[in-house]
Amino acid sequence: MNLLLETSSWETELHCNADVSRTNLMVDGYPRPQLQRQNWYSLNGAWKFVFDDKGQFVQPSDISEWMYSIEVPFAPESTKSGIKELGFHPNCWYEREFATLLGEGRLLLHFGAVDYRARVWVNGQFMTDHEGGHTPFSIDITPVLNNSGVTKVTVWAQDDPHDLAKPRGKQDWQLEPHSIWYPRTSGIWQTVWVERVSGTYIDRIRWVPEFERWEIGFHATITGDRQNGIQLKVKLRIGDTVLVKDTYEVFNGEIHRRIALSDPGIDDYRNELLWSPEKPTLIDAEIQLWEQDKLLDEVKSYTAMRTVGIQRDRFMLNGRPYYLRLVLDQGYWQETLMTPPSDAALRRDVELVKAMGFNGVRKHQKIEDPRFLYWADVLGLLVWEEMPSAYRFTPKAVERITKEWTEVIERDISHPCIVVWVPFNESWGVPNLVETPAHRNYVLALYHLTKTLDPSRPVVGNDGWESTDTDILAIHDYETNTLRLAHRYGPEVKLSDLFERRRPGGRILTLDNYPHQGQPVMLTEFGGIAYAPDDKPDADIWGYERCFNISELEMKYTALLETVNNIEIFSGFCYTQFADTFQEANGLLYSDRTPKISIEAIRKATLSGGVCTPTSC
């Protein structure tokens, strides 16, 4: 099938809707899109590499021979890494030399993500120990630079393949991928890079749109050499139109301000400034740090004016009911695993999701590369962000999940595309919610912690069933008989009866003392229709139902989506799933993102029937 020819019309439309100047600015794939500097250098590429299965190395000098060369940031289990070793390897080591980025001030070394624990040496000096396989960390390596003009970085990555008490998402603990779990991802799997900054620099920023007051909350943290009398200048614009040009004094290394925009007044004009999937208007930000007449630091960022929330039984976007049409996205590629093969591949995924009629994704059991969130911001795609699960309940698991989830929210809170946080999925890691108070308290604690760290977004406490406190009551139901599905959730069914009697997956929908309180009800996993030819053994595929020809798949998807779109109690849905992922053959696309049925047919079915339009309900 010639995908480029078949989809040329929607590709042209999507590319035209994107901000061309912004796209050109980011063609280099800056790894931290919301805090960009010009003076940076990627360390992706060939690194020396060795496995240490027996754990005999404890420092770089212990390694006498580097056995392999690996292509960073691809995990050693992946084909693209050049190694493709799928066995159990609890320890792996990396090393690379690079020409020191010259200039005054400080040199920072950044890691996008290393699974699971990373210890880093620079020029033979130990620098840091970071735990958490999905979150970034940075090191000021200035004190250990030398006069040679060359800097050497060594990384020890520890990732116990059998440890079920760490956040691991869909990474299998068995030697071969089974059921709904996939090959492991060890070591470095996101971009490594360095950047030159001044002695005093902008370390973090956060944007919080305040739709009701037509304001944007702005938080900034300044680090490095503490100085008095420094100022932060902020300019916000849309295209050539300057919205704000303010200057703030910095006290105690922090700025916390509400930036008031001129209220446009009438809705028609106000709507031109709002971000949504239909019109993803972004506000460009230029931020400068000054000491009197000396420019210390300059970064580029962006934000958006948009708000999300819950009003009675509906999800709200920008103060209006908004029907969610999501697709479950595992975020894997056949040859690169959790690492995208390129920045263009991430953009392509966003475009494909929109072309198929969906307005969002539920990123399942993965904290995605920030570049995906960037393209979702630019092109207009809603994202549910979900914490990868641990599969044991232990004090260590609680500590790890809590710490890493906090770091995830800190990393991604400013992205307008993220509209819902999901700390738990299907009681994974808390298997005894009904019987065990500690499990329930854990879910409640993370729900309220998330609401504390970010009061601006809804939180789904436990997606699928066994809900406690939650802003959306999310149901997983893989019934593919449309008559039974319509009867199960039809207008003749009382909500009280539904929550007392329905047990998808053998689990109750709400725990005792946590009844449905009028929140939106959404079908957040359903479908899972696998397609595999007759000659493919059953053992090689996974799906909740199997089709043996494409026409049958199209017929079943169309009927199922028309049924779900017409169920009035649902204020949104999430279809399983976007693309085939290893043995899971239930994607609308093959693993290489080629459609199984035409994009136009998928889109028509996704938007079929229903009491809701794509933009309201």
Side-chain angles (χ1 to χ4, degrees), residues 180-339:
I180 57 172
W181 284 275
Y182 312 140
R184 287 168 296 284
T185 295
S186 301
I188 299 172
W189 68 277
Q190 287 187 20
T191 292
V192 185
W193 49 294
V194 292
E195 67 176 344
R196 177 66 68 175
V197 299
S198 67
T200 304
Y201 60 96
I202 302 164
D203 185 36
R204 294 191 304 274
I205 59 174
R206 176 185 293 190
W207 303 102
V208 183
E210 304 280 355
F211 174 77
E212 294 80 6
R213 293 187 293 268
W214 208 247
E215 296 173 345
I216 294 177
F218 173 65
H219 303 170
T221 302
I222 313 302
T223 194
D225 303 327
R226 288 296 179 91
Q227 301 184 43
N228 296 321
I230 59 175
Q231 296 180 325
L232 204 67
K233 295 184 178 182
V234 178
K235 181 165 75 172
L236 303 181
R237 61 179 176 82
I238 296 178
D240 295 329
T241 302
V242 176
L243 303 177
V244 168
K245 192 174 182 180
D246 288 347
T247 301
Y248 308 116
E249 294 288 331
V250 177
F251 297 101
N252 300 317
E254 294 181 335
I255 285 287
H256 298 275
R257 292 291 184 272
R258 288 180 177 174
I259 301 175
L261 305 181
S262 298
D263 190 333
I266 190 168
D267 278 353
D268 286 351
Y269 182 66
R270 175 182 287 217
N271 291 341
E272 291 297 309
L273 300 182
L274 296 178
W275 185 96
S276 69
E278 292 70 35
K279 196 175 189 304
T281 301
L282 293 179
I283 300 171
D284 288 301
E286 299 173 14
I287 306 166
Q288 295 179 333
L289 186 66
W290 288 84
E291 180 191 15
Q292 297 179 358
D293 59 350
K294 180 182 180 182
L295 179 63
L296 300 177
D297 195 11
E298 182 174 18
V299 300
K300 295 184 182 298
S301 184
Y302 64 88
T303 182
M305 181 57 75
R306 75 102 186 88
T307 185
V308 294
I310 300 300
Q311 187 179 91
R312 297 183 180 177
D313 65 340
R314 293 299 165 192
F315 175 86
M316 307 291 287
L317 176 65
N318 296 330
R320 298 290 185 269
Y322 193 92
Y323 192 80
L324 295 176
R325 288 181 167 87
L326 312 179
V327 66
L328 194 76
D329 184 1
Q330 309 280 4
Y332 275 75
W333 288 264
Q334 198 73 25
E335 294 191 343
T336 61
L337 305 184
M338 291 203 302
T339 306

Side-chain angles (χ1 to χ4, degrees), residues 240-528:
D240 295 329
T241 302
V242 176
L243 303 177
V244 168
K245 192 174 182 180
D246 288 347
T247 301
Y248 308 116
E249 294 288 331
V250 177
F251 297 101
N252 300 317
E254 294 181 335
I255 285 287
H256 298 275
R257 292 291 184 272
R258 288 180 177 174
I259 301 175
L261 305 181
S262 298
D263 190 333
I266 190 168
D267 278 353
D268 286 351
Y269 182 66
R270 175 182 287 217
N271 291 341
E272 291 297 309
L273 300 182
L274 296 178
W275 185 96
S276 69
E278 292 70 35
K279 196 175 189 304
T281 301
L282 293 179
I283 300 171
D284 288 301
E286 299 173 14
I287 306 166
Q288 295 179 333
L289 186 66
W290 288 84
E291 180 191 15
Q292 297 179 358
D293 59 350
K294 180 182 180 182
L295 179 63
L296 300 177
D297 195 11
E298 182 174 18
V299 300
K300 295 184 182 298
S301 184
Y302 64 88
T303 182
M305 181 57 75
R306 75 102 186 88
T307 185
V308 294
I310 300 300
Q311 187 179 91
R312 297 183 180 177
D313 65 340
R314 293 299 165 192
F315 175 86
M316 307 291 287
L317 176 65
N318 296 330
R320 298 290 185 269
Y322 193 92
Y323 192 80
L324 295 176
R325 288 181 167 87
L326 312 179
V327 66
L328 194 76
D329 184 1
Q330 309 280 4
Y332 275 75
W333 288 264
Q334 198 73 25
E335 294 191 343
T336 61
L337 305 184
M338 291 203 302
T339 306
S342 65
D343 189 54
L346 290 172
R347 174 174 182 157
R348 178 73 167 167
D349 276 7
V350 173
E351 291 174 332
L352 283 166
V353 170
K354 295 198 69 173
M356 292 190 291
F358 300 101
N359 53 31
V361 294
R362 179 172 160 233
K363 274 290 178 180
H364 189 40
Q365 289 296 293
K366 183 189 179 187
I367 304 304
E368 190 54 271
D369 190 293
R371 296 293 304 172
F372 177 88
L373 300 178
Y374 167 77
W375 286 117
D377 291 337
V378 169
L379 298 174
L381 188 72
L382 306 179
V383 176
W384 285 30
E385 185 147 299
E386 177 182 318
M387 183 64 198
S389 297
Y391 296 101
R392 291 185 62 210
F393 180 83
T394 68
K396 189 66 175 176
V398 172
E399 176 187 340
R400 287 166 160 175
I401 288 278
T402 304
K403 175 181 178 294
E404 197 164 344
W405 184 233
T406 301
E407 293 176 353
V408 166
I409 295 171
E410 171 67 29
R411 191 197 80 169
D412 292 340
I413 193 169
S414 295
H415 284 281
C417 65
I418 295 179
V419 295
V420 173
W421 300 111
V422 185
F424 287 96
N425 173 72
E426 289 186 350
S427 306
W428 290 354
V430 281
N432 300 318
L433 278 175
V434 175
E435 303 88 358
T436 307
H439 290 205
R440 292 196 299 276
N441 290 335
Y442 182 26
V443 175
L444 287 166
L446 274 198
Y447 168 82
H448 289 287
L449 174 64
T450 307
K451 298 288 286 185
T452 301
L453 296 173
D454 180 15
S456 71
R457 291 176 174 90
V459 178
V460 175
N462 182 31
D463 204 309
W465 46 64
E466 296 180 339
S467 290
T468 55
D469 284 350
T470 189
D471 297 326
I472 297 169
L473 214 151
I475 300 173
H476 296 181
D477 191 335
Y478 282 98
E479 175 61 65
T480 55
N481 183 300
T482 55
L483 293 177
R484 284 199 291 264
L485 198 66
H487 177 72
R488 186 173 294 164
Y489 301 102
E492 68 280 0
V493 177
K494 295 181 179 179
L495 281 175
S496 58
D497 291 341
L498 173 66
F499 294 113
E500 288 176 6
R501 298 177 184 177
R502 277 295 301 136
R503 292 179 179 250
R507 306 294 187 104
I508 58 176
L509 292 177
T510 57
L511 297 185
D512 292 344
N513 301 318
Y514 297 94
H516 177 243
Q517 297 179 325
Q519 309 102 308
V521 179
M522 299 190 190
L523 189 62
T524 53
E525 282 191 32
F526 75 106

